[in-house]
Amino acid sequence: MRALLVGGVLCWAAGAGQASGQALTYNGSVQYATGSYYFTEQTGSFYFNNGLGISGDRLSLHLNVPFIAQNTPWISYTSSGMGPLPTGGPHNRLVDGSDGGQGNRRGRRRIDPGTTDTLNFTETHFGDPSLSGSVRIYSSGFGQTSVNGNFGIKFPLTDADSGFGTGAWDFGAGLSWSQRVAGNTLLLLSGMYWQLGDMDDLDFKNILSYSAALGQTFQEGKLMATASFFGSTQIIEDIDPPMNAGAGLSFQVAPNVALNTNLLVGLTESASDFSIGAGWSINF
């Protein structure tokens, strides 16, 4: 999901200065992630994102509604761009350490609530919808350089006990910078400050999420290969912040249709071990 977003931004940067006016866009993606995070049990998650966006010369808005399936309830989702977080879901007090301190120690943790049969657990649910936006602050004449102001809001419509959301609002704001280098090479740097709403028994720190991506275009800009890195400051006390590195491909199959794929590898315990996905974008 994060790599698909970066790929989409890089594709936008590649075509900056070539399009004008207002456009309606449908964006979709499918992603599979698996990891034990810092638990003893492995969690597999599948999410299907559907979004509608409207963009003009300077302002763009995007509404996304994810549909999620997973085989444990220990993972929750925020809109901070860091993907699934190991919160413990309905048993988040065990992560916070309010169970007498047992949950607040480093190392693998076994959650044994006694009432959840994870051997036969498979749940599907809509995740919290999110609204994001971008305002172009600066753009050079031919789109060589671009600076955008960005914001994001997550609406807490999902019950935290379901294991698919945190049950709280998230708010974020930040900046992104894209630069065309040597004609066919694109660089993207971005940072967002997020105020994350707490769960009932688990407090989140407000964080700075950041990413960097490098893209190389081929076939007159129709094909792009990207390498990316994602990270954040610490989200949960005594748990290393999630960090990922990845690679992807984007291809403009028609003037109004783009496809992209990505592969992500987790660099810390709180990130998924492995994630793979594909996405598409259609302009109307």
Side-chain angles (χ1 to χ4, degrees):
M1 186 163 53
R2 296 167 293 248
L4 293 171
L5 176 61
V6 167
V9 173
L10 282 171
C11 286
W12 174 86
Q18 298 177 11
S20 61
Q22 198 171 75
L24 179 66
T25 304
Y26 164 65
N27 295 286
S29 67
V30 291
Q31 193 92 12
Y32 175 75
T34 182
S36 56
Y37 304 89
Y38 58 87
F39 300 124
T40 56
E41 292 183 87
Q42 196 85 2
T43 295
S45 304
F46 173 84
Y47 38 98
F48 175 32
N49 290 282
N50 283 284
L52 284 176
I54 184 168
S55 60
D57 292 336
R58 296 184 59 86
L59 173 67
S60 65
L61 294 172
H62 183 80
L63 178 66
N64 180 66
V65 180
F67 183 76
I68 304 164
Q70 61 187 38
N71 63 354
T72 79
W74 315 142
I75 308 303
S76 305
Y77 300 82
T78 73
S79 58
S80 63
M82 297 316 302
L85 295 179
T87 65
H91 303 282
N92 53 85
R93 67 178 182 83
L94 302 179
V95 175
D96 190 39
S98 58
D99 58 329
Q102 296 300 311
N104 206 30
R105 299 185 302 198
R106 290 184 180 273
R108 293 288 170 184
R109 308 180 193 189
R110 180 175 181 83
I111 291 185
D112 185 15
T115 58
T116 304
D117 178 14
T118 54
L119 291 177
N120 300 301
F121 184 94
T122 300
E123 292 288 340
T124 59
H125 204 281
F126 282 101
D128 291 328
S130 61
L131 177 68
S132 59
S134 179
V135 179
R136 190 181 305 176
I137 298 174
Y138 169 78
S139 180
S140 61
F142 294 97
Q144 297 288 109
T145 304
S146 181
V147 178
N148 285 6
N150 307 306
F151 72 87
I153 302 171
K154 188 201 73 173
F155 304 95
L157 302 184
T158 301
D159 186 353
D161 287 341
S162 68
F164 294 97
T166 61
W169 293 84
D170 295 339
F171 301 93
L175 293 172
S176 61
W177 169 70
S178 63
Q179 178 69 49
R180 189 193 304 269
V181 182
N184 295 329
T185 303
L186 295 168
L187 174 66
L188 173 70
L189 299 175
S190 67
M192 290 275 286
Y193 177 79
W194 285 95
Q195 180 177 312
L196 301 179
D198 298 328
M199 299 182 76
D200 288 344
D201 296 302
L202 179 62
D203 293 338
F204 295 117
K205 294 185 176 184
N206 295 333
I207 64 165
L208 175 66
S209 65
Y210 50 88
S211 65
L214 186 66
Q216 181 69 34
T217 61
F218 305 93
Q219 297 182 7
E220 299 180 344
K222 292 182 178 181
L223 177 67
M224 177 181 289
T226 61
S228 53
F229 172 81
F230 307 88
S232 83
T233 56
Q234 190 179 60
I235 300 175
I236 303 173
E237 189 72 30
D238 286 337
I239 295 176
D240 292 335
M243 294 183 184
N244 299 270
L249 288 173
S250 303
F251 186 65
Q252 195 80 25
V253 296
N256 63 334
V257 179
L259 303 177
N260 49 73
T261 62
N262 77 89
L263 172 67
L264 287 174
V265 176
L267 304 179
T268 58
E269 270 194 333
S270 60
S272 56
D273 297 335
F274 172 82
S275 176
I276 189 168
W280 53 91
S281 178
I282 303 172
N283 292 329
F284 298 102

